[in-house]
Amino acid sequence: MFVLLNSRTFGALGLAVFLVDATSFESPREKRLDNNLGKTPILGWNSYNHYSCSPNENIIKSNAQALVDLGLLDLGYNYVVVDCGWTVPDRASDGQLQPNPDLFPSGYKALGDWLHKLDLKFGVYQNAGIKTCMTGQPDQVGSLNNEATDAKTFESWGADLLKYDNCYSDADLNYPAVSYTPKTSPRGAMTVMSKAIQTLSRPMIIQICNWGVDFPSAWAPEIGNSWRVTNDITGAWRTVPRILNQVVPQTTYGQPGRWLDLDMLQVGNNLFTEPEEQTHFSLWAIIKSPLIIGGALSDNKTNIRTSSLAILSNKDVISYNQDGLGVPARFARRYTKEGYEVWYGPLTEDRTVVALINLFDEPRNLTLDFPDISIQKAKTVKNIWAKTTAENVTTSYTAEVGAHGTMLLELGGTTAFGIYDVYDAVGIATEFTFKNVYAKSTSKNLIARVKFEVESLDDETILMNQATYKLPAGQKELTVPNFPLQAGNNNTVTVDTRLTITELNVYDSTPMLLGADTFEIDAPGTFTQCLPGLCLPVGSKIGRLSPTVLGTVDITSPPGAGPGPKYTNIYFTNNDVALQSAWDLGTNTRNLTINVNGVVTRIEVPLSGKSSELFTEHKGWQDAGLFPVLLEGFREGGNVIKVGNEGGEGGLVQWAADFVGMEVYW
C-alpha cells in the first residue's frame, strides 16, 4: 500500500515530488469470515505432497502417530488432512459421500475418532467441481450441487477442517480438469460450500484451494480461514522464489483468522538441500502461511531425516508464525545483480523478524543494511539458523549464508532509521566520531541534525567533518542542510563541540519524482492514463517496453547533487502471473532496465497486481509496486535516463514490466 504524504514542485522543473510511506502493514478493509477459528495460522500434516492422490488408512495413521511421537504435536502441529484419493466415483444410495473401503476399511468416522483420541484434529478434502482433482483412476465424485449434504457428512465424521479444491468446476467450459482462465469465477462455488459449513454446529477451518485463480485475496477472506495464493509448489527449488514473487503484493491481506496459504511444505521430502529447506520454512513462517508438513514423517518405507525434523521443530521459527501480532512479513528489497533479497515484519514485544535470502547457487557472506528495513540499530541480533546472538549492532549485520539459504534474524531493541546514539560514538575530549553512518545516495543534499543535552547559553561554534557551523544561543539542536556523504554505510561523521551530545540524525532530502508522462516513448511503446487511484503515485504508465523500445527523459540534477550513485524508488506494474507456466519456468517476474548516461542496471521485479485480469480487464496491470535500487552513472548537471529491457533479447519474456515512474534521491 502506498500512502502519499505530501507533494510539492521541485524548482523550475515543474515535477511533483512525493514522500511515500513504504513501511505500512495495514490490511485492506474488505469483509472477513469470522468463525472464531484460525486466530493464528494452523499447523499440521497433509498427505498430498508425498503420497499424491494415493492415501490409505495405514499411511494416515502412521504419520499421525509420528506427529505425536516426534514431539511435533507438542509444538502445535495438530491437524491431519487426508487429501485427494480417499473416495469413490459415486455417492452412496442416500446421496452421501463415502470413503473407499479398500483404502479406509475402518471408515472416516472411525478415523476421525482415532485422531481425536490422540488430541489431533481431522481434516477432510473435497472439491468444488463435479469430480475431485485426481492424478489417476478412477474418477472421484466432487461436491458441486451437493454442498449442504456434504457439509453435514463432514460434520458427522467429526471433521475439524475442510480443504476445498477447484478442479472440474467451470460449467461454461464443460468442466475441464483445470482452468486458469475460467469463464466463471470460482468464487461462487466456493462461497456455496463455505456458507454450508457455517450453518453447522461443529466449527470447521475452511481452506480455499483455487491456486490463485481470479486473485482470491480480493474475495476469499470473506469465505475462508486461508486461501491458496499461487499454483502448486513443486519439487524444484525455483518453485520457492516463484511463489514468493506472487505473494509480494498480497501480504497485507493476511490477518488473524484469515491467512495467505503458500501451499504445503516440502520440508522432509528430500527434494531440497538443508539451506533450501530453511529458506522455505522461514519464509512460509514469517509470512504467516499455514505450516502444513507435506513430507512423510513415518511409514513402512520412510522416516523423516534428522535435519528436516530439526527445521520443522525450530521453536523460534514456529513462534514467528504464531506471533500474537498476526502481521505477515513483507518484501523490502531485492538486490538483483548481487543475488539476494530482504523480507521483514513486526513481532510482539517490539521485535522485528528479518529474512535475507541468498538467491545464488553458492554460499557466501551477505550483509543486511538495517536502513532497508527502516531501522538503524538493534540491541540484539539473534541469527536463528547460525545459532548466534550479537549485541549493539549499528547500521548493518554480516553473516555467512548457504546456497539458496536464508539469514533469519530476530532483532530486538531497535532504533529508527537515521538515529545514531552518542553512546555508539567514539569520544575523545570534545570530539565525537560516529562510524558506519548510512546514506542512500552520494549527495551533498543530505540533512544532518545534532541534538544536545541542554540548550546552549551562548552562540556556539560546532565543527562537523571539519566544516564550521553556528548554534545560536538557547537552542538544543543544530540542523545542517546540504550535508555531504557517500552512498552506503561506510561514512564517518565527526562532531567537535564542548556541549554534551545526545544523538546524531542523518536524513535524506526529499526525492524528485520522474513520472511516466515526462518520458518520450519509442514506437510501438504505449502510454496509458490509468484508472483513478491506480498507477500510483503518477496515475499513468508506459507499456510494451522491450530491448529496442525505450522511454527516455533528459533531466538536470538539482544544485548540490553531484555525481555518483543515487538511491531510487522504481514504480512499476507487473501482472504476468505464472499459473500454467508455474509447472515449467514461470517466475512471476519481469525485467526492467534503467540506463543512466549509458550505465545500465537490470532489476527483476515481482508481481504488483492486486486485481484479477479475468473479470476486471487491465486493472491488475495498473496496480503499482515499488522497487528500491541504487543506480550508477549519474552526473552533475545533465542526465539522460532510459527505461526498457536492454539486453533482454534472450530472456523468457522480452517485454519489460510497465514503467510508472521513479523517485531519485539527489
Side-chain angles (χ1 to χ4, degrees):
M1 178 177 292
F2 304 107
V3 182
L4 303 184
L5 300 181
N6 71 331
S7 65
R8 62 182 176 86
T9 301
F10 194 99
L13 296 172
L15 298 173
V17 178
F18 293 88
L19 292 177
V20 179
D21 176 11
T23 61
S24 171
F25 289 86
E26 182 181 350
S27 298
R29 292 185 175 89
E30 69 279 340
K31 293 181 180 179
R32 295 275 174 165
L33 172 68
D34 188 9
N35 58 4
N36 205 35
L37 297 174
K39 295 302 183 182
T40 58
I42 65 167
L43 285 73
W45 180 88
N46 180 293
S47 59
Y48 180 76
N49 277 8
H50 190 83
Y51 301 99
S52 188
C53 291
S54 300
N56 62 49
E57 190 168 318
N58 288 334
I59 285 172
I60 302 305
K61 286 186 173 181
S62 63
N63 281 280
Q65 187 66 53
L67 285 176
V68 178
D69 296 343
L70 296 174
L72 292 167
L73 173 60
D74 292 336
L75 295 172
Y77 293 92
N78 60 347
Y79 282 87
V80 174
V81 184
V82 186
D83 212 285
C84 55
W86 63 273
T87 186
V88 291
D90 300 305
R91 293 175 176 271
S93 58
D94 60 1
Q96 293 194 46
L97 295 168
Q98 50 187 339
N100 187 324
D102 295 330
L103 300 176
F104 295 91
S106 300
Y108 254 32
K109 175 67 168 64
L111 178 60
D113 291 343
W114 184 86
L115 291 170
H116 291 149
K117 288 179 181 178
L118 293 179
D119 289 329
L120 295 167
K121 295 183 181 295
F122 182 27
V124 298
Y125 166 94
Q126 247 301 322
N127 192 83
I130 58 173
K131 296 185 287 188
T132 69
C133 300
M134 185 66 185
T135 55
Q137 295 295 327
D139 290 336
Q140 299 189 1
V141 64
S143 284
L144 185 63
N145 300 321
N146 291 276
E147 291 85 357
T149 298
D150 292 352
K152 292 177 181 177
T153 299
F154 304 148
E155 182 179 41
S156 72
W157 291 336
D160 304 292
L161 175 150
L162 170 65
K163 176 182 174 181
Y164 206 46
D165 217 334
N166 191 44
C167 295
Y168 301 100
S169 60
D170 194 343
D172 291 338
L173 293 178
N174 197 28
Y175 302 110
V178 174
S179 176
Y180 298 120
T181 55
K183 295 295 184 182
T184 304
S185 171
R187 177 178 186 173
M190 295 282 177
T191 300
V192 174
M193 178 57 85
S194 174
K195 289 183 176 180
I197 295 294
Q198 292 177 61
T199 65
L200 305 175
S201 59
R202 184 176 185 83
M204 207 175 297
I205 287 281
I206 303 171
Q207 288 188 312
I208 302 299
C209 181
N210 77 316
W211 335 303
V213 174
D214 193 30
F215 197 76
S217 286
W219 48 266
E222 189 175 345
I223 60 174
N225 297 105
S226 65
W227 56 96
R228 280 276 302 282
V229 292
T230 72
N231 207 341
D232 288 8
I233 193 170
T234 70
W237 156 251
R238 65 176 179 270
T239 198
V240 172
R242 184 257 297 172
I243 289 172
L244 293 176
N245 281 316
Q246 191 163 350
V247 170
V248 168
Q250 303 188 49
T251 53
T252 55
Y253 289 89
Q255 63 177 240
R258 284 78 57 177
W259 305 107
L260 306 176
D261 185 349
L262 278 59
D263 207 357
M264 295 162 288
L265 296 164
Q266 291 284 26
V267 178
N269 272 327
N270 301 334
L271 299 170
F272 297 164
T273 66
E274 183 176 350
E276 289 171 347
E277 287 194 338
Q278 290 173 346
T279 294
H280 176 25
F281 189 61
S282 298
L283 272 295
W284 266 234
I286 68 173
I287 295 172
K288 306 297 191 290
S289 173
L291 297 180
I292 306 299
I293 300 168
L297 298 174
S298 179
D299 58 30
N300 58 5
K301 296 180 180 179
T302 307
N303 288 299
I304 190 170
R305 63 188 181 189
T306 302
S307 62
S308 297
L309 179 60
I311 290 169
L312 293 170
S313 303
N314 189 289
K315 292 181 180 180
D316 286 314
V317 184
I318 294 171
S319 74
Y320 305 148
N321 181 258
Q322 300 291 296
D323 184 75
L325 205 58
V327 178
R330 63 177 292 171
F331 175 81
R333 187 167 179 181
R334 172 175 296 150
Y335 291 79
T336 304
K337 180 180 178 181
E338 295 81 359
Y340 66 95
E341 68 185 45
V342 179
W343 292 68
Y344 77 113
L347 299 171
T348 52
E349 300 177 355
D350 294 323
R351 297 169 299 147
T352 302
V353 64
V354 187
L356 187 153
I357 309 171
N358 179 8
L359 300 172
F360 280 1
D361 299 336
E362 58 187 15
R364 56 204 173 118
N365 284 339
L366 290 173
T367 297
L368 170 69
D369 282 329
F370 287 174
D372 282 346
I373 56 171
S374 302
I375 70 170
Q376 199 63 61
K377 177 185 175 181
K379 290 183 179 179
T380 59
V381 178
K382 185 176 182 180
N383 189 326
I384 301 305
W385 299 119
K387 300 179 181 179
T388 61
T389 300
E391 295 182 348
N392 296 319
V393 181
T394 300
T395 306
S396 64
Y397 174 86
T398 300
E400 184 176 8
V401 186
H404 299 163
T406 284
M407 179 197 302
L408 184 65
L409 307 176
E410 178 190 316
L411 309 184
T414 58
T415 301
F417 168 56
I419 299 175
Y420 301 84
D421 194 286
V422 70
Y423 294 108
D424 297 319
V426 177
I428 301 177
T430 61
E431 186 176 274
F432 295 86
T433 300
F434 296 85
K435 296 182 178 181
N436 303 120
V437 176
Y438 179 88
K440 287 184 175 180
S441 298
T442 295
S443 175
K444 300 176 183 178
N445 287 330
L446 299 167
I447 300 168
R449 181 176 294 123
V450 182
K451 294 184 178 181
F452 302 96
E453 190 173 60
V454 296
E455 295 177 356
S456 59
L457 297 177
D458 303 301
D459 291 351
E460 293 284 343
T461 298
I462 311 293
L463 290 177
M464 292 183 65
N465 285 359
Q466 304 304 312
T468 301
Y469 303 95
K470 292 294 184 181
L471 177 69
Q475 299 296 312
K476 291 180 64 175
E477 295 184 2
L478 172 67
T479 299
V480 180
N482 308 121
F483 193 72
L485 291 174
Q486 300 293 310
N489 58 21
N490 292 318
N491 294 285
T492 297
V493 176
T494 299
V495 183
D496 195 335
T497 175
R498 64 177 185 171
L499 301 177
T500 301
I501 299 174
T502 59
E503 66 183 45
L504 168 71
N505 303 158
V506 177
Y507 300 110
D508 300 289
S509 59
T510 303
M512 176 193 297
L513 177 66
L514 305 175
D517 54 353
T518 65
F519 284 70
E520 294 185 3
I521 311 168
D522 297 336
T526 60
F527 175 82
T528 301
Q529 192 68 43
C530 298
L531 296 171
L534 297 178
C535 296
L536 296 177
V538 176
S540 57
K541 66 171 186 170
I542 302 170
R544 298 190 68 80
L545 295 168
S546 73
T548 57
V549 178
L550 308 176
T552 304
V553 65
D554 293 342
I555 192 73
T556 300
S557 64
K566 308 297 179 188
Y567 183 95
T568 61
N569 285 324
I570 307 298
Y571 292 94
F572 67 93
T573 71
N574 172 27
N575 207 37
D576 190 2
V577 183
L579 290 173
Q580 180 64 54
S581 63
W583 302 108
D584 190 18
L585 297 177
T587 64
N588 288 312
T589 66
R590 280 205 179 179
N591 287 329
L592 185 67
T593 56
I594 306 96
N595 179 328
V596 181
N597 300 317
V599 180
V600 179
T601 299
R602 180 184 70 87
I603 60 176
E604 184 181 35
V605 301
L607 294 184
S608 65
K610 294 185 177 182
S611 304
S612 170
E613 285 295 311
L614 296 178
F615 309 109
T616 53
E617 187 177 3
H618 304 311
K619 192 174 180 182
W621 271 100
Q622 295 186 10
D623 292 310
L626 180 151
F627 194 99
V629 61
L630 188 69
L631 297 179
E632 304 278 354
F634 283 96
R635 303 169 182 161
E636 188 167 10
N639 291 272
V640 178
I641 301 174
K642 299 181 179 182
V643 295
N645 189 21
E646 295 184 65
E649 293 86 353
L652 293 174
V653 179
Q654 291 197 26
W655 301 115
D658 290 354
F659 176 77
V660 172
M662 60 187 292
E663 291 174 322
V664 183
Y665 286 80
W666 293 105

